[in-house]
Amino acid sequence: MSFSNIMDSNSYAGQHEDPDIESLISARQRMLGPAYRLFYERPVHLVRGQGSHLFDIEGNRYLDAYNNVASVGHCHPHVVDAVTRQMSTLNTHTRYLHNGIVDYSERLLATMPGAIDRVMYACTGSEANDLALRVAQKYTGQTGVIVTSDAYHGNTAAVTAISPSLGGDSLGPHVRTVAAPDSYRTLPTDLAGTFASDVSRAIEDLCSAGYGLSCLVVDTIFSSDGIYPDASVLEPAAEIVRKAGGVLIADEVQPGFARTGEAMWGFIRHGVVPDLVTMGKPMANGIPVSAMASTSQVLAPFAQEVPYFNTFGGNPVSMAAASAVLDVIEDEKLQLHAAEVGAMLRTELRSLASRHVRLGDIRGTGLYTGVEVVVDPGSRTPDRAGALHIVNALRDRRVLISVCGQDGNVLKIRPPLAFSRTDVDWFCTEFEAVLKSID
């Protein structure tokens, strides 16, 4: 069986000491099959959520510092109310007229640069990225795709082929990978130039192989690669891509909807306007909906020739949920909140890092933070085992995070936007206790 960083770095493989939990795990495995994975060495049986907290079957409270899908907080009452009201009124497919999809589309596009003036809907981020690839291919007439070396963009056949973090032989022959802009091991003055040069070489290789260049696809915070927030790196690469006739696809499933604190969208931090923007379930707090926004110019060849249809992509209930999420982001000033609370968290983490040498780097923006765990700070050698130990030790102290990065050594701290200053204190208290236990 091949190893997948995104699926296997923090997955369960063993025997649970609680017979009731083990019975549930066995039933799940028997009926769902071996492809599914559970988090943690001791899986958590969750039954309830509220804000940034989760509760297990015994009533124990956990600090959720991981789940971005419930973007404005688990079971946010405004979202729950909007979904309940719409579900009790009407939910049907998108070939009937309904104000919900039109009203939401107007609000969504208003958050983006004016050139991005069209939006299409699906049910998952995978579908949105799949659609974006089709649109890019139709516009450019080429099939070659460039992604970062440990990217994850979804699980349809087309996007599995551009998701190297899934491991195995999933990468397509029309795909080339470039190293993510590793701000820990590359001088800041070299980051943008190195990334652009790598993209340029990948374009040459794709053209030599006969695929040409269709697109560069990037998660604008490089989350699966290890969380690299430097905002200088994307503009030079985008310019090279466009000169070669390709388009830029910004995958905003992770950094979008105010998570970075600095902007509503991750690409805005980079000072670029993508040709295509994709979004996923955080846009509706977990209700299945996704979107692909585009410039009308890039969308035109596809839209004029292909009668797109996604039965429940953008259905009334999903649109009610998505609209309620925008309400909460605006009314609760969650972009500013993400900036302030995220900065507070990283300040506290850097203080801990000054006392614990295995924390090699603290980086991030808004409520997205990566903590690099290393063997020693001099060599900056990744410590996969150490990172995984920390994750599971925190889980035992009822704090939930995970790992990312090609070496599986970056702690991924990505809580709901409801994460509070009190939550920061809770997190850092437990984190320091874990660090002291392994020093």
Side-chain angles (χ1 to χ4, degrees), residues 185-269:
R185 297 173 180 84
T186 305
L187 291 172
T189 52
D190 296 339
L191 272 179
T194 298
F195 189 68
S197 295
D198 288 349
V199 168
S200 183
R201 283 191 293 273
I203 293 171
E204 292 174 4
D205 194 20
L206 285 169
C207 292
S208 296
Y211 297 107
L213 175 65
S214 174
C215 56
L216 167 66
V217 187
V218 289
D219 162 355
T220 54
I221 201 168
F222 303 95
S223 58
S224 295
D225 290 282
I227 309 169
Y228 299 110
D230 191 293
S232 70
V233 299
L234 198 50
E235 188 173 15
E239 184 177 350
I240 289 170
V241 165
R242 286 176 173 142
K243 283 182 178 178
V247 299
L248 173 65
I249 300 175
D251 182 340
E252 291 286 329
V253 173
Q254 298 283 337
F257 291 96
R259 175 155 294 277
T260 69
E262 298 176 33
M264 184 69 167
W265 305 105
F267 65 81
I268 291 176
R269 298 179 61 248

Side-chain angles (χ1 to χ4, degrees), residues 54-66:
L54 291 162
F55 300 83
D56 69 15
I57 195 167
E58 296 177 343
N60 297 308
R61 183 171 62 140
Y62 291 73
L63 178 62
D64 185 358
Y66 179 73

Side-chain angles (χ1 to χ4, degrees), residues 230-404:
D230 191 293
S232 70
V233 299
L234 198 50
E235 188 173 15
E239 184 177 350
I240 289 170
V241 165
R242 286 176 173 142
K243 283 182 178 178
V247 299
L248 173 65
I249 300 175
D251 182 340
E252 291 286 329
V253 173
Q254 298 283 337
F257 291 96
R259 175 155 294 277
T260 69
E262 298 176 33
M264 184 69 167
W265 305 105
F267 65 81
I268 291 176
R269 298 179 61 248
H270 289 266
V272 299
V273 178
D275 301 286
L276 296 157
V277 181
T278 57
M279 296 148 269
K281 287 180 285 294
M283 70 189 289
N285 222 44
I287 294 293
V289 64
S290 62
M292 182 207 71
S294 175
T295 66
S296 54
Q297 177 185 355
V298 169
L299 184 60
F302 178 89
Q304 290 166 4
E305 297 180 29
V306 180
Y308 176 77
F309 178 45
N310 188 305
T311 306
F312 261 65
N315 68 74
V317 169
S318 292
M319 292 294 90
S323 184
V325 166
L326 287 184
D327 291 342
V328 175
I329 290 173
E330 294 168 6
D331 295 345
E332 298 183 10
K333 298 180 173 56
L334 290 185
Q335 183 178 315
L336 177 62
H337 177 82
E340 293 177 346
V341 175
M344 175 184 174
L345 173 63
R346 284 183 292 280
T347 296
E348 294 299 318
L349 289 173
R350 287 180 181 120
S351 177
L352 289 178
S354 69
R355 305 192 297 276
H356 299 276
V357 295
R358 296 177 70 180
L359 304 186
D361 190 33
I362 313 295
R363 53 182 180 260
T365 180
L367 281 171
Y368 216 135
T369 297
V371 178
E372 186 114 19
V373 182
V374 295
V375 175
D376 69 82
S379 67
R380 303 187 178 186
T381 303
D383 185 359
R384 181 189 293 268
L388 191 58
H389 176 81
I390 290 170
V391 166
N392 282 285
L394 281 171
R395 174 261 174 267
D396 289 342
R397 302 180 76 92
R398 299 180 188 142
V399 173
L400 305 181
I401 64 169
S402 193
V403 290
C404 61

